[in-house]
Amino acid sequence: MSGKKRATIVDVAEAAGVSMKTVSRVFNNEPHVRKALKDKVLRAAKALNYQPNVVAQGLVGRRSYLIGLVYENPSPNYVVELQHGALDRLHGERYRLVVLPVESVANVAGKMLGLLRSAALDGVVLTPPASDHRQILDELSESGFPFVRVAPTRYPDIGPSTMTDDVAAACDMTRYLIELGHRDIGLIKGDPTHSATEARLFGFSKALAEAGIAPRLDLIEQGMFTYESGIEAARRLLDRSDRPTAIFAQNDDMAGGAIMAAHELDLDVPRDVSIVGFDDSQIAKVTWPRITTVHQPVYEMARSATDMLVAMLENKPYENKLEHPYELVVRQSAAAPGSSG
Amino acid sequence: MSGKKRATIVDVAEAAGVSMKTVSRVFNNEPHVRKALKDKVLRAAKALNYQPNVVAQGLVGRRSYLIGLVYENPSPNYVVELQHGALDRLHGERYRLVVLPVESVANVAGKMLGLLRSAALDGVVLTPPASDHRQILDELSESGFPFVRVAPTRYPDIGPSTMTDDVAAACDMTRYLIELGHRDIGLIKGDPTHSATEARLFGFSKALAEAGIAPRLDLIEQGMFTYESGIEAARRLLDRSDRPTAIFAQNDDMAGGAIMAAHELDLDVPRDVSIVGFDDSQIAKVTWPRITTVHQPVYEMARSATDMLVAMLENKPYENKLEHPYELVVRQSAAAPGSSG
DNA sequence: CTGAAAGCGCTTACAG
DNA sequence: CTGAAAGCGCTTACAG
């Protein structure tokens, strides 16, 4: 299958007239190799088209140079952002990224460690909701399996993590709606197994409380972070006589669904109803109108989580907690009640 | 770092009172192991929480059980579909999936083999435009590196591949527009380095020729398969007095951009202009109106390509070419000229 | 049906 | 500054 056989460290050593240990030293950038020898080795390696065998390096070093990225997420944009953050950090390193989407985090809890071990991963980046799943965190901690958590909202003491302040972000967004003049604000919650759902609910309530607005529980609907669930939840909110003048969907996919529901009910956004989201994912730029949202630093969180993990694996120092700033992104989907922006 | 040390095959052999070769036989499902011994081994393995070390297996077998997925694609939906197709096929196997997005296929040509080798991959699934890049294909073929091509449009004799008929699909879509009554149809082409761009252009011309419609080259605009490029190309087409009554964008991201451009010019879709796309990606379901498009079997192509690759690696028989059907998906973005559907 | 030996391609200790 | 030996955890031949 594989044409000519690949050259090994022994081939290079023979061609260069040195021991294989010297070749090893050169390829690992160890100090104390005379320049003359080093050049000979490099020349021989080049002639033989030598590349170290990572698998052999892995066996002796008891590691695979494989990092896993665990996610359970229906949003392609979010997933791709996570992957790019992790991959960009790994660029130029020996480590490779193995993707581990799971159907349901709850279903793999208890099997996570076995899964990671059988895949021979050196460490793993956990994203929501896995990064907040107590059983998984305990399982990994107890066995000493290296992991970093992205965007956790609870158990702050378990393991290193990167995050953004979801509570503050949701609070800011709600304040923005209140400042525009909204009082009856609907909320579409996300998947209840993601703890961001709670965090964003807290931020929402906090802003209402600050403004002295009594919360209206009848304007809170459950969604699942998917587009379809956004459509359905929004229909329930909009298809009533005392409908809210604004809707805060806990992510952009659901906000997009809400906009679709409004269109279908012949309501103008933002004149008849303002709709805002959370995440700043691609969909927020492609709906009509474009969605006012919160930019979540997904790429940055994934990137710095990967950075921490690599540091852990190499026994280098690293920050244990890193918070990345969010940002309110004002587009065209929200305006003062009755105004078209 | 890693808590208790993992049990090895020797530990299990000792605990079970057999040789390590017997343990190996049990875990590889080799025949000819007496049931009594097998049970003893399994019990010992369970007690020790033993899992075979893939890295060691890899070293002796001269393989890594790692499969790569190469893509250069700006569309998250497309990428995630590809990944899921590949992952679903790999589920339950020893193989893991390593993602290899590249900034530009042209830039890695010549370095592809080195990249795959240094990552110690057993084989690779190549997607557009890498699957059509002559230099990359030659490089891999010559060295005997196992690969399968997804959606190639040229060099049909190089290596196994899975595909769909882009020419026929684009032709069908164009016929659909013609049947609706359109004669002046604009075309937004995709990235010129992707050969699907050509294939879809051929299908477009073919349908026009069949219908006896003279092609209007001034209605052909260049895009890059991105949302932004769709906006810009559509603006050029729509911002003229003799604007087309329909626009065929070569993918959904650009079609979505075209719809945005129409909105911004205060044109109603489909009454003032029909807009259709290609791919059936998420964006086609979330714009207003939803986009009439062609469903491309991305998941299926990736899945069966991965299936072929695994068969190659295990020296099992496999189909060399597999064509998956496409499907016209009629939504609300196209109608007879001047009609709103 | 079962096992003892050799070796996959490297790095880790240890010597000099 | 350089190298010879041992070993990482398995499987591939080969014996019996």
Side-chain angles (χ1 to χ4, degrees):
Chain A
M1 187 120 304
S2 47
K4 328 140 197 187
K5 245 178 66 189
R6 282 179 60 174
T8 71
I9 197 171
V10 174
D11 300 329
V12 177
E14 279 171 7
V18 300
S19 73
M20 69 178 187
K21 178 66 237 195
T22 298
V23 179
S24 171
R25 285 205 175 88
V26 171
F27 273 85
N28 290 296
N29 285 315
E30 285 176 34
H32 312 310
V33 182
R34 237 188 318 167
K35 181 137 186 354
L37 276 196
K38 182 168 177 175
D39 288 348
K40 263 209 287 191
V41 167
L42 256 17
R43 230 172 300 125
K46 180 138 199 180
L48 292 168
N49 195 16
Y50 171 71
Q51 286 183 308
N53 181 328
V54 211
V55 176
Q57 294 178 319
L59 181 58
V60 57
R62 261 172 234 94
R63 54 221 250 110
S64 61
Y65 296 103
L66 250 26
I67 283 181
L69 179 67
V70 172
Y71 53 88
E72 170 215 307
N73 200 296
S75 167
N77 303 291
Y78 189 88
V79 167
V80 166
E81 287 269 296
L82 283 174
Q83 291 179 356
H84 282 171
L87 282 162
D88 281 358
R89 172 57 188 80
L90 259 24
H91 192 83
E93 301 268 4
R94 204 176 292 186
Y95 295 92
R96 293 144 293 163
L97 187 71
V98 170
V99 290
L100 301 167
V102 297
E103 279 284 329
S104 146
V105 161
N107 287 352
V108 296
K111 296 182 232 158
M112 186 60 90
L113 185 60
L115 200 144
L116 301 177
R117 284 217 172 134
S118 76
L121 305 177
D122 287 347
V124 71
V125 174
L126 256 25
T127 71
S131 53
D132 262 325
H133 197 285
R134 187 62 198 246
Q135 191 185 352
I136 291 175
L137 297 173
D138 285 344
E139 199 181 358
L140 299 187
S141 298
E142 275 163 31
S143 68
F145 194 94
F147 67 92
V148 179
R149 305 163 67 195
V150 167
T153 64
R154 27 177 114 166
Y155 323 127
D157 298 334
I158 308 184
S161 57
T162 61
M163 49 169 299
T164 190
D165 192 338
D166 272 58
V167 176
C171 187
D172 279 3
M173 177 58 93
T174 310
R175 281 191 195 127
Y176 173 73
L177 290 174
I178 294 170
E179 277 162 22
L180 283 174
H182 295 281
R183 291 295 172 273
D184 298 305
I185 305 177
L187 180 74
I188 303 180
K189 291 195 294 181
D191 185 333
T193 71
H194 288 235
S195 65
T197 296
E198 268 169 23
R200 293 173 196 171
L201 176 62
F202 284 148
F204 176 74
S205 329
K206 190 177 162 207
L208 290 181
E210 280 176 1
I213 300 175
R216 282 187 51 191
L217 296 180
D218 60 318
L219 293 185
I220 298 184
E221 289 285 345
Q222 183 69 55
M224 286 300 287
F225 281 145
T226 62
Y227 185 77
E228 285 303 328
S229 74
I231 295 186
E232 285 163 26
R235 273 194 199 130
R236 292 192 293 271
L237 285 171
L238 295 176
D239 202 16
R240 44 194 284 177
S241 49
D242 61 338
R243 63 162 192 263
T245 61
I247 294 178
F248 181 2
Q250 287 195 339
N251 81 348
D252 289 340
D253 285 307
M254 296 195 299
I259 286 181
M260 180 60 78
H263 277 310
E264 287 175 345
L265 291 168
D266 251 327
L267 297 173
D268 184 83
V269 179
R271 201 193 58 224
D272 300 324
V273 58
S274 286
I275 294 174
V276 299
F278 202 105
D279 277 357
D280 195 24
S281 71
Q282 190 206 23
I283 191 173
K285 296 173 197 150
V286 308
T287 55
W288 179 264
R290 292 182 174 89
I291 301 172
T292 290
T293 187
V294 172
H295 176 75
Q296 240 205 127
V298 178
Y299 173 92
E300 290 80 0
M301 288 190 289
R303 189 182 172 114
S304 56
T306 308
D307 187 59
M308 285 178 186
L309 186 58
V310 169
M312 280 176 73
L313 296 175
E314 321 239 285
N315 293 311
K316 290 179 186 154
Y318 56 90
E319 294 285 335
N320 205 49
K321 300 267 172 268
L322 221 46
E323 186 172 323
H324 294 277
Y326 62 85
E327 204 180 331
L328 202 70
V329 181
V330 174
R331 295 206 178 93
Q332 295 84 42
S333 66
S339 134
S340 42
Chain B
M1 188 121 304
S2 45
K4 328 140 197 186
K5 242 178 69 185
R6 279 178 63 172
T8 72
I9 198 171
V10 174
D11 300 328
V12 177
E14 278 171 7
V18 299
S19 74
M20 69 179 189
K21 178 65 238 199
T22 297
V23 179
S24 171
R25 284 202 177 92
V26 171
F27 274 85
N28 288 296
N29 283 315
E30 286 177 36
H32 311 311
V33 182
R34 238 189 316 169
K35 180 134 189 353
L37 277 195
K38 183 167 175 175
D39 288 349
K40 262 207 289 191
V41 168
L42 255 17
R43 229 172 302 126
K46 180 136 198 180
L48 292 169
N49 196 13
Y50 171 70
Q51 284 181 310
N53 181 327
V54 212
V55 176
Q57 294 177 320
L59 181 57
V60 57
R62 260 168 235 98
R63 52 218 256 113
S64 61
Y65 296 101
L66 250 27
I67 284 183
L69 179 66
V70 172
Y71 53 87
E72 170 215 307
N73 200 298
S75 165
N77 303 291
Y78 190 89
V79 167
V80 166
E81 287 269 297
L82 282 175
Q83 292 179 355
H84 282 170
L87 281 162
D88 282 357
R89 173 56 188 84
L90 258 26
H91 192 82
E93 301 267 4
R94 205 176 293 185
Y95 295 92
R96 293 144 293 165
L97 188 71
V98 171
V99 290
L100 300 167
V102 297
E103 279 285 330
S104 146
V105 161
N107 288 352
V108 295
K111 293 182 234 158
M112 185 60 89
L113 185 60
L115 199 141
L116 301 178
R117 284 216 173 135
S118 75
L121 305 178
D122 287 345
V124 72
V125 173
L126 255 27
T127 72
S131 52
D132 263 322
H133 197 285
R134 187 59 196 248
Q135 192 187 349
I136 291 175
L137 298 173
D138 286 345
E139 198 180 357
L140 298 188
S141 300
E142 276 163 29
S143 67
F145 194 93
F147 67 92
V148 178
R149 306 162 67 195
V150 166
T153 63
R154 25 178 117 167
Y155 322 127
D157 298 334
I158 307 183
S161 57
T162 61
M163 49 169 299
T164 191
D165 192 339
D166 271 60
V167 176
C171 187
D172 279 3
M173 178 57 94
T174 311
R175 280 190 196 128
Y176 173 73
L177 291 174
I178 293 171
E179 277 162 21
L180 285 174
H182 295 281
R183 291 296 172 271
D184 297 306
I185 305 175
L187 181 75
I188 303 179
K189 291 197 293 180
D191 185 334
T193 71
H194 288 233
S195 65
T197 296
E198 269 169 21
R200 294 173 195 172
L201 177 62
F202 283 148
F204 176 73
S205 328
K206 192 177 158 211
L208 292 182
E210 280 175 1
I213 300 173
R216 282 186 53 189
L217 298 180
D218 59 316
L219 293 186
I220 298 183
E221 288 287 345
Q222 184 69 56
M224 285 302 285
F225 280 145
T226 62
Y227 184 78
E228 285 303 327
S229 74
I231 296 186
E232 285 163 25
R235 274 192 198 131
R236 293 193 293 270
L237 285 170
L238 296 175
D239 202 15
R240 43 194 286 176
S241 50
D242 62 339
R243 64 162 191 263
T245 62
I247 293 179
F248 182 3
Q250 287 196 340
N251 80 349
D252 289 340
D253 285 309
M254 296 194 299
I259 286 181
M260 181 60 79
H263 278 309
E264 287 173 346
L265 291 168
D266 249 327
L267 296 174
D268 183 83
V269 180
R271 201 191 60 223
D272 299 325
V273 58
S274 286
I275 294 175
V276 299
F278 202 106
D279 278 356
D280 194 23
S281 70
Q282 191 207 21
I283 190 174
K285 297 171 195 153
V286 309
T287 56
W288 179 266
R290 293 182 173 90
I291 301 174
T292 290
T293 186
V294 172
H295 176 74
Q296 243 205 124
V298 177
Y299 173 91
E300 290 82 0
M301 290 191 288
R303 188 182 172 117
S304 56
T306 307
D307 187 57
M308 286 178 185
L309 186 59
V310 169
M312 282 176 70
L313 296 175
E314 320 240 283
N315 292 310
K316 290 181 187 153
Y318 56 91
E319 295 285 335
N320 204 50
K321 300 266 171 273
L322 221 46
E323 188 174 320
H324 293 277
Y326 60 86
E327 205 178 330
L328 202 71
V329 181
V330 174
R331 295 204 179 95
Q332 296 84 44
S333 67
S339 133
S340 43

